[in-house]
Amino acid sequence: MKSFYITTPLYYVNAPPHIGHAYTTLAADVLARWHRLRGRKAHLLTGTDEHGANIEKIAREAGKDPRQWADEMSERFRALWGALGVRYDDFIRTTEPRHERPVQQVFEVLLRKGDIYKGTYEGWYCLPCENFWEQEDLVRGSCPVHGKTAEKIQEESYFFRLSRYQDPLLEHYRDHPDFLKPSFRASEVTNFVQSGLKDLSVSRAKVRWGIGVPGDGRHTIYVWFDALLNYITAAGYSPVPHERSPRFEDHWPAEVHLVGKEIFRFHAVIWPAMLMALDLPLPGTVFAHGWWTVEGEKMSKSKGNFIDPQEMIREFGVDAFRYYLFREVPFGQDGDFSRRALKSRYNAELANDLGNLLSRVAQMVENFCAGRLPYRPKMQEDFLTGELAKKTQVLEASIEGLAFSQALDTIWEVIRRLNQRVDRWAPWEKVKGDPDRVAFFLFDMVSSLRLLSDWISPFMPQAAQDMQAQLGEGGRPIRKGPPLFPRK
Ligand code: MSP
């Protein structure tokens, strides 16, 4: 079976990672873990986007060579993914030969095909975006995303014949309703494409820190053209057939590209057009998530209000941080990050609802059944466990539709229900008179909790493991352990 291939954007190495970056990567990790849990092969790709004028400038300002700067920053991203429990299968850097070489080959092939040609570029450029803007896009002369003054550029440039793909793109959107998600963003893109596509400048004459245009030493390849190709170069693609890895067939097309809303257009318009030009199949879905503000404000350098994920890990632990990001805001919408909201969810939902449920059940099995439960295969059907197993399909649909908060809502309904069941049943009152019934009841609770631990494992891998240990998986006795989430 083909691998389920999921990608994150390649992060710019211009600054250390913050919660925005963590969000996209964690979503990919949740999805990949879910697929692995369901017995599929998943392949998660992430990495860093290291070329371009902006990064060169920032490196120089820090008194460093861009390569050395990129090495250090790239390491910080890797370290953060390690700390956040992200299980990625590949990490690509756009400065690696395995990327640079096929990028140049692609450029050559498209030049030969006439999909790339030489012309003159005139327009406005925003450095932090590494994006060209039309005069009418600018807000009082500044970029609409960063608010930075855009720079007027006129230079000789290579162009990608994006205009050629206007109709094929529209046709693809129409025939593949799952291609662009969420749907409200799909309509924005469709309108944009319908209003007419211009050819795209894909080289820069003044930028040194980039991949050279083959055969033309004066130009480097535009960073976005370079970076987007990572999704296939990392999978072993080369337009030269004998240089292509057999792995490519197993990976490509990607099932999901996860991106933030501000880079949706690159992935929904330019990237599929590039793939069409290369005669390659298109990815299954490009999904755009929303943006986090922090305590009601946009994160920015001037405000200095970037949230460092490492700090959140220290304060609340990895799992609670992961949980909060996907519980608080429906994936696809914008949301506001607040320490208070995180703390209150931590105490109410993690420490109380989930943590207490586990402690209570484990403690009762320890006290009433000496930490061991008899297996009751015949009873299984009548049990809550059987009913819960059916919920797995509901969860499956939520998670595969990237409705992570909905999945967590479903899981928490079950947790509350299990807590109520313990309260109503009050096994401590029945254990003297009817120890067997209590054992059945606890068997049911433990089986339910084991299922639950699987469900939460993509979101909270460590807590799931701790639960499983307390629930005696692997033939160990069932034993109440330290609280999963000590109260804050
Ligand atoms: N290098 C490009 C992507 C190239 S992909 C071929 C880039 N890099 S980035 O470092 O700016 O990071 C992009 C990712 O971080 C996006 O998915 C973006 O949405 C996410 N976030 C950055 N700030 C964010 C928030 N404040 N909130 C949520 N996510 C945001 O773009």
Side-chain angles (χ1 to χ4, degrees):
M1 208 204 333
K2 182 191 173 302
S3 294
F4 193 92
Y5 181 24
I6 308 167
T7 69
T8 76
L10 294 199
Y11 303 103
Y12 285 133
V13 290
N14 55 359
H18 56 66
I19 51 165
H21 308 113
Y23 190 47
T24 323
T25 304
L26 285 172
D29 187 53
V30 169
L31 197 58
R33 283 175 182 271
W34 175 264
H35 283 285
R36 292 189 199 111
L37 186 68
R38 306 293 289 151
R40 291 182 212 120
K41 245 191 326 168
H43 185 79
L44 169 47
L45 170 71
T46 188
T48 39
D49 188 353
E50 308 187 353
H51 291 126
N54 196 37
I55 287 162
E56 179 169 16
K57 176 171 157 256
I58 285 168
R60 302 261 183 243
E61 280 166 7
K64 287 189 178 154
D65 170 69
R67 186 168 298 275
Q68 180 198 354
W69 169 269
D71 285 347
E72 290 171 15
M73 276 296 167
S74 189
E75 254 336 290
R76 298 205 30 191
F77 279 89
R78 263 183 209 275
L80 178 61
W81 306 152
L84 285 171
V86 173
R87 244 183 79 189
Y88 53 86
D89 300 280
D90 195 1
F91 187 105
I92 190 157
R93 302 178 53 187
T94 54
T95 48
E96 288 177 70
R98 64 164 172 154
H99 175 72
E100 293 191 340
R101 182 176 165 79
V103 167
Q104 288 188 317
Q105 290 171 333
V106 163
F107 202 94
E108 264 179 320
V109 165
L110 297 185
L111 200 56
R112 232 179 297 137
K113 270 186 68 184
D115 269 305
I116 291 182
Y117 64 91
K118 209 179 206 175
T120 307
Y121 179 78
E122 220 190 287
W124 300 87
Y125 201 77
C126 167
L127 210 51
C129 292
E130 298 283 11
N131 190 22
F132 299 98
W133 295 100
E134 298 291 332
Q135 173 104 48
E136 64 263 26
D137 294 328
L138 301 179
V139 181
R140 272 171 265 109
S142 296
C143 147
V145 175
H146 291 90
K148 285 263 158 59
T149 312
E151 181 195 350
K152 178 100 189 245
I153 289 183
Q154 185 185 36
E155 62 187 30
E156 179 189 82
S157 171
Y158 288 85
F159 285 86
F160 172 57
R161 232 178 260 286
L162 186 59
S163 57
R164 187 183 265 179
Y165 296 95
Q166 177 166 346
D167 291 333
L169 283 170
L170 289 170
E171 200 174 308
H172 190 83
Y173 302 157
R174 194 171 52 237
D175 297 344
H176 301 82
D178 284 342
F179 182 57
L180 300 181
K181 283 185 157 175
S183 49
F184 71 95
R185 292 202 193 283
S187 14
E188 280 170 25
V189 166
T190 308
N191 291 340
F192 170 74
V193 175
Q194 259 162 356
S195 73
L197 290 179
K198 291 207 180 110
D199 290 347
L200 176 76
S201 167
V202 289
S203 70
R204 296 295 312 278
K206 299 210 180 73
V207 178
R208 290 338 305 153
W209 179 237
I211 303 179
V213 166
D216 190 343
R218 287 164 308 154
H219 290 268
T220 55
I221 298 176
Y222 173 44
V223 270
W224 271 98
F225 188 87
D226 153 1
L228 285 165
L229 285 166
N230 90 87
Y231 301 127
I232 54 177
T233 59
Y237 177 76
S238 159
V240 181
H242 70 268
E243 289 190 28
R244 194 175 308 168
S245 153
R247 207 161 47 84
F248 185 63
E249 302 297 312
D250 176 50
H251 289 165
W252 193 258
E255 269 67 18
V256 188
H257 289 316
L258 286 174
V259 303
K261 63 178 184 180
E262 86 288 9
I263 57 173
F264 192 44
R265 255 192 218 177
F266 291 96
H267 288 82
V269 181
I270 300 174
W271 176 229
M274 287 166 69
L275 288 166
M276 286 175 179
L278 291 169
D279 291 315
L280 289 173
L282 304 197
T285 298
V286 182
F287 189 100
H289 65 69
W291 266 46
W292 287 95
T293 49
V294 171
E295 316 286 350
E297 299 206 65
K298 195 174 163 179
M299 279 189 278
S300 75
K301 236 192 226 163
S302 52
K303 292 205 190 83
N305 60 346
F306 287 99
I307 296 274
D308 176 0
Q310 301 273 19
E311 223 171 86
M312 290 299 119
I313 297 175
R314 276 192 296 276
E315 190 167 353
F316 295 99
V318 176
D319 283 338
F321 176 62
R322 293 175 61 120
Y323 170 78
Y324 171 78
L325 291 179
F326 296 104
R327 186 74 199 273
E328 180 77 8
V329 178
F331 200 57
Q333 311 276 313
D334 291 336
D336 184 50
F337 187 97
S338 120
R339 255 195 87 262
R340 244 190 46 221
L342 169 49
K343 186 171 166 188
S344 106
R345 285 196 184 273
Y346 179 101
N347 284 324
E349 292 157 16
L350 298 177
N352 279 3
D353 296 344
L354 177 61
N356 281 352
L357 175 65
L358 175 72
S359 304
R360 291 165 95 190
V361 171
Q363 182 79 72
M364 284 188 284
V365 178
E366 228 182 299
N367 293 354
F368 305 155
C369 311
R372 303 227 166 248
L373 285 171
Y375 183 47
R376 309 273 179 210
K378 268 208 203 121
M379 302 292 295
Q380 193 97 355
E381 284 310 302
D382 316 325
F383 274 48
L384 186 60
T385 324
E387 187 195 315
L388 288 194
K390 292 190 199 114
K391 279 242 183 233
T392 303
Q393 272 131 49
V394 177
L395 284 176
E396 177 105 8
S398 299
I399 297 185
E400 291 186 2
L402 303 184
F404 299 123
S405 64
Q406 193 180 304
L408 289 169
D409 284 344
T410 305
I411 297 173
W412 252 257
E413 272 164 32
V414 169
I415 292 174
R416 297 212 172 101
R417 186 151 162 231
L418 292 176
N419 269 318
Q420 282 162 4
R421 212 158 173 255
V422 173
D423 295 340
R424 290 214 196 99
W425 233 82
W428 46 92
E429 287 168 10
K430 299 191 175 72
V431 68
K432 281 251 166 60
D434 201 345
D436 269 0
R437 255 183 92 212
V438 168
F440 287 159
F441 172 82
L442 289 175
F443 174 79
D444 193 24
M445 290 303 292
V446 167
S447 321
S448 301
L449 278 169
R450 284 182 179 164
L451 187 61
L452 204 70
S453 73
D454 279 340
W455 289 350
I456 67 163
S457 65
F459 298 95
M460 298 188 280
Q462 189 56 51
Q465 258 187 39
D466 294 349
M467 274 179 84
Q468 286 159 4
Q470 295 193 33
L471 293 168
E473 290 207 351
R476 287 165 291 191
I478 296 173
R479 178 167 291 146
K480 182 180 159 191
L484 277 187
F485 297 97
R487 288 191 66 86
K488 299 267 172 206

